[in-house]
Amino acid sequence: MVEQLTARHLRKEYRLRGGETLVAVHDVSFSVSAGDSLAIVGESGSGKTTCARIVAGLEPATSGTVLFDEQEVDAAQARVSARRWRARQVQMVFQDPYSSLDPRQSVNDSVSEVLAAHGLHDRRERAARTADLLDKVGLPERVGRSKPKQLSGGQRQRVAIMKALAVKPRLLILDEAVSALDVSVQAQVINLLSDLRASEKLAFLFISHDLGVVRQVSDRVMVMRHGRVVEEGSTDAVLDAPSDPYTQRLLDAIPRPGWKPVARAV
Amino acid sequence: MSVTEIPAPLLEVRDLAVDLPVGKGHRPVITDVSFSLRAGESLGLVGESGSGKSMTVRSALRLLPAGSRVAGSIRWEGEDVYAMSRSRLRSWHASEVGFIHQDPRAHINPLRTIGDFLTEGLRASGVGRRESVEKAEALLERVGITEPRTRMRQYPHELSGGLLQRVMIASVLLVEPKLIIADEPTTALDVTIQESVMAILDDLRRHEGVSLVMITHDLDLAAAVTDRIAVVYAGQLVEEGASGSIHTEGLHPYSVGLLESRPSTTRRQRLRAIPGRPVAAFEAPPGCVFVDRCAHAVDTCREERPSLRPVQRQLVACHRAEDLQAPVVLAAGGAL
């Protein structure tokens, strides 16, 4: 089978001041097939976000390759056509939608701009497609005329998802995309993502620290620590019977009735 | 003075309502909150954004911006907090209450060493240098920091968020407070670090009799580490009771909805999301504050604001509490 996304032997080094090298990602490989949902789980410094940013083309890998349908993508190859092609393969949604939305632009205008950049030149067609997208993410029409600051956190995250969907990508990278939302709103967005995955035949690369969220949205999970993969497998298998002690420790740290937190010396 | 059998609660908040100055007018942030806390007890103040959970604590400590209007009463060991003189208020804040913030980095001077940060208060109150340093080092050990001497010489930027939060807790313990208020103390931390920080706070309460008010959006976390929980929504306390009973047989549709919204770590199922978004007190409808998002709302709920009353083992502000008594049993779920 042709994998939709393949990441092979990703390595990312950062040069620190003073000449030291920080290896954020050591030899990490994974793949996502069409319509699949892979979660990358880990704490801060695990390298999960760096992996996502490499796949999205936001950062070059020090070594390793990223392939879509077995075609190699080189982030350094910055031609507009190549960038557009990549945009239709993969879109990314961030934790804080504020940073990815232009505060001066209405929702409709910002989505319309994306559509125009991808060759939809007819104004009426763009308006129709924007209205369709609003509906898809469960936003009322009037939200389209609003600016980001007039929206609630949940609405802004729906707008970010809508913008990502505008170019009909096949893979959506969600980087802690529901982490900053209030619990009651987070549940709505998780349900929306599940629905969109089915209706749009999307694949997900879901970056999260929250094992509850991961259980709901992913089929497979990869647990990372200090830039390395410590465990991977089907989400149910890994969360029901983790084989790595670190995964077990993550599960044990989840507050629940009768939980007795243990302090570790540092 | 009369002799009473039962000592006054450590902190008692009665019928609190607060309006904050906004532009030329005022805007309500809290409309109806009452609770009391005894010595050694822990209370989880649970709510989403705009619920007024942090403002409740700020009001209780008399830390509101100038021009705020406060109704109701706040008593500390029976003493009216809003009748305290300025000097009494200062000494109360400085020696009896400790505040732990969500982001320790914003509350610790980045230009001074951890040692300076921890000892400056003691030194200012006349404690000698050596004694201050020894006390600070002992407290760093108390919160699980293994090399206190090294840490004392370091600057905040050299420490991780989790370590800095431990330093913050140590700094609060310097004055041996009777009450620690922790405002989302672990929200910015990794789960494994959260576990350590919660364990430290829990231990202080159990072994040193410090009372704890923990402000959090995480009902699972509050249920796991506090004795009682007060759920706040749109400036009103909507349910209060023993943590175990709120978690397993919560009555208010909002408390139940919050628990059902949390994705379970043990099973996959479509979430029963509460429709709409959380509102603040000033946006709340005239009847029940939760009416627009509630699946059980009837006409009475739209017309009359329910007040807190005992039902089952809880206090709940819901007209329909008796009808909704069938206990909801939930599997373990939780935030990482």
Side-chain angles (χ1 to χ4, degrees):
Chain A
M1 195 170 81
V2 176
E3 297 285 5
Q4 185 180 323
L5 164 72
T6 312
R8 277 192 202 138
H9 306 297
L10 295 185
R11 181 181 176 85
K12 180 73 188 179
E13 294 174 0
Y14 291 101
R15 290 248 175 273
L16 301 179
R17 265 178 300 174
E20 272 181 280
T21 301
L22 173 88
V23 185
V25 175
H26 298 260
D27 192 21
V28 171
S29 300
F30 54 91
S31 62
V32 180
S33 48
D36 197 8
S37 174
L38 170 70
I40 306 183
V41 170
E43 296 186 292
S44 22
S46 63
K48 59 187 193 302
T49 291
T50 306
C51 288
R53 293 178 61 86
I54 292 170
V55 170
L58 296 174
E59 261 178 65
T62 306
S63 62
T65 46
V66 174
L67 304 114
F68 288 98
D69 295 333
E70 300 190 338
Q71 265 186 278
E72 190 165 341
V73 218
D74 183 359
Q77 186 190 4
R79 269 200 301 269
V80 175
S81 62
R83 285 213 307 266
R84 281 203 192 118
W85 179 79
R86 187 186 196 121
R88 284 191 300 274
Q89 299 300 321
V90 56
Q91 283 288 315
M92 190 154 171
V93 179
F94 301 90
Q95 176 172 350
D96 174 19
Y98 239 151
S99 59
S100 52
L101 298 173
D102 183 339
R104 292 160 303 176
Q105 240 180 357
S106 75
V107 170
N108 283 341
D109 288 349
S110 73
V111 174
S112 190
E113 190 178 271
V114 174
L115 293 170
H118 282 267
L120 194 60
H121 298 303
D122 185 292
R123 192 183 291 269
R124 264 173 311 172
E125 268 180 55
R126 284 206 303 266
R129 174 103 178 101
T130 305
D132 178 45
L133 282 163
L134 274 172
D135 187 50
K136 251 185 197 140
V137 296
L139 287 172
E141 210 189 314
R142 62 178 161 75
V143 168
R145 295 185 294 272
S146 311
K147 304 258 164 65
K149 71 163 190 285
Q150 298 167 293
L151 305 175
S152 68
Q155 285 175 323
R156 277 200 293 271
Q157 200 54 295
R158 283 174 197 262
V159 168
I161 293 168
M162 166 187 177
K163 248 183 112 175
L165 293 179
V167 297
K168 299 185 180 168
R170 300 168 60 220
L171 174 74
L172 213 53
I173 300 179
L174 299 133
D175 186 9
E176 299 282 9
V178 299
S179 304
L181 301 174
D182 274 313
V183 186
S184 68
V185 175
Q186 184 189 60
Q188 299 166 10
V189 177
I190 290 173
N191 286 343
L192 170 70
L193 288 170
S194 304
D195 295 344
L196 287 171
R197 193 180 144 205
S199 67
E200 308 300 302
K201 301 187 173 49
L202 280 165
F204 284 171
L205 183 61
F206 204 95
I207 314 301
S208 181
H209 68 283
D210 188 326
L211 295 181
V213 172
V214 163
R215 174 77 86 160
Q216 300 309 312
V217 300
S218 70
D219 307 319
R220 288 186 306 125
V221 64
M222 185 166 101
V223 183
M224 286 185 71
R225 186 185 195 197
H226 303 326
R228 295 173 202 274
V229 177
V230 298
E231 179 165 10
E232 59 180 307
S234 88
T235 303
D236 289 343
V238 171
L239 298 188
D240 288 343
S243 59
D244 187 88
Y246 177 68
T247 314
Q248 185 62 56
R249 199 173 137 200
L250 286 180
L251 282 162
D252 291 343
I254 297 170
R256 56 198 175 274
W259 184 59
K260 288 275 165 283
V262 178
R264 279 158 206 275
V266 284
Chain B
M1 260 180 51
S2 66
V3 179
T4 45
E5 296 258 319
I6 308 159
L10 187 65
L11 179 67
E12 188 177 30
V13 175
R14 281 285 148 248
D15 307 319
L16 178 69
V18 177
D19 294 348
L20 289 188
V22 175
K24 283 179 185 161
H26 278 80
R27 179 180 272 184
V29 287
I30 295 166
T31 49
D32 188 3
V33 170
S34 299
F35 64 85
S36 69
L37 185 76
R38 283 169 308 177
E41 200 177 25
S42 63
L43 174 77
L45 215 48
V46 177
E48 296 182 285
S49 27
S51 62
K53 56 189 190 299
S54 293
M55 279 326 256
T56 296
V57 162
R58 296 199 164 275
S59 314
L61 296 185
R62 217 172 124 185
L63 288 172
L64 292 170
S68 306
R69 294 194 297 227
V70 182
S73 84
I74 314 272
R75 291 182 178 274
W76 172 262
E77 296 183 317
E79 182 183 2
D80 183 346
V81 168
Y82 281 77
M84 285 179 181
S85 67
R86 289 205 168 273
S87 65
R88 169 69 186 118
L89 188 66
R90 254 199 313 276
S91 80
W92 177 50
H93 285 165
S95 63
E96 293 177 75
V97 194
F99 208 110
I100 297 168
H101 301 271
Q102 175 176 341
D103 180 10
R105 224 170 275 282
H107 295 271
I108 297 178
N109 187 341
L111 301 175
R112 310 194 52 196
T113 63
I114 300 302
D116 286 343
F117 167 71
L118 288 174
T119 55
E120 66 187 350
L122 289 174
R123 304 268 287 130
S125 63
V127 181
R129 181 177 186 83
R130 169 173 292 195
E131 198 185 336
S132 305
V133 169
E134 278 170 5
K135 190 164 185 194
E137 286 178 358
L139 282 169
L140 287 178
E141 270 180 0
R142 176 78 185 80
V143 297
I145 292 177
T146 47
E147 288 172 57
R149 206 150 287 175
T150 314
R151 300 304 182 191
M152 292 279 278
R153 285 195 299 268
Q154 287 181 306
Y155 286 89
H157 75 266
E158 298 175 85
L159 269 56
S160 67
L163 257 173
L164 219 49
Q165 195 59 294
R166 292 186 197 228
V167 169
M168 188 90 193
I169 297 173
S171 79
V172 159
L173 296 176
L174 279 168
V175 297
E176 295 163 22
K178 292 178 181 166
L179 169 67
I180 292 179
I181 291 176
D183 190 354
E184 303 265 9
T186 57
T187 304
L189 304 177
D190 280 324
V191 258
T192 53
I193 317 277
Q194 163 169 290
E195 184 181 0
S196 287
V197 170
M198 289 323 308
I200 292 162
L201 289 174
D202 200 43
D203 186 61
L204 290 171
R205 190 170 65 78
R206 284 177 202 283
H207 297 109
E208 282 160 49
V210 184
S211 301
L212 175 72
V213 172
M214 189 172 72
I215 302 167
T216 179
H217 65 281
D218 188 339
L219 195 43
D220 290 305
L221 177 64
V225 298
T226 60
D227 302 320
R228 287 187 302 128
I229 284 178
V231 180
V232 223
Y233 185 82
Q236 192 188 2
L237 200 157
V238 295
E239 185 161 15
E240 202 232 281
S243 299
S245 37
I246 299 268
H247 200 259
T248 50
E249 33 190 293
L251 285 175
H252 198 284
Y254 178 62
S255 326
V256 176
L258 265 187
L259 278 170
E260 290 183 340
S261 295
R262 271 298 305 154
S264 160
T265 48
T266 50
R267 68 210 147 101
R268 186 168 179 168
Q269 63 173 174
R270 191 171 179 83
L271 299 172
R272 275 202 264 170
I274 309 174
R277 65 172 175 91
V279 293
F282 76 93
E283 307 168 290
C288 169
V289 288
F290 189 60
V291 67
D292 294 336
R293 304 179 74 192
C294 185
H296 309 286
V298 293
D299 286 348
T300 326
C301 307
R302 275 172 209 103
E303 288 148 12
E304 240 181 85
R305 184 158 294 184
S307 44
L308 210 60
R309 62 199 172 92
V311 181
Q312 259 176 212
R313 287 185 284 164
Q314 282 99 267
L315 293 170
V316 60
C318 172
H319 292 305
R320 304 210 53 208
E322 283 82 1
D323 310 334
L324 306 171
Q325 272 195 39
V328 183
V329 180
L330 290 146
L336 245 185

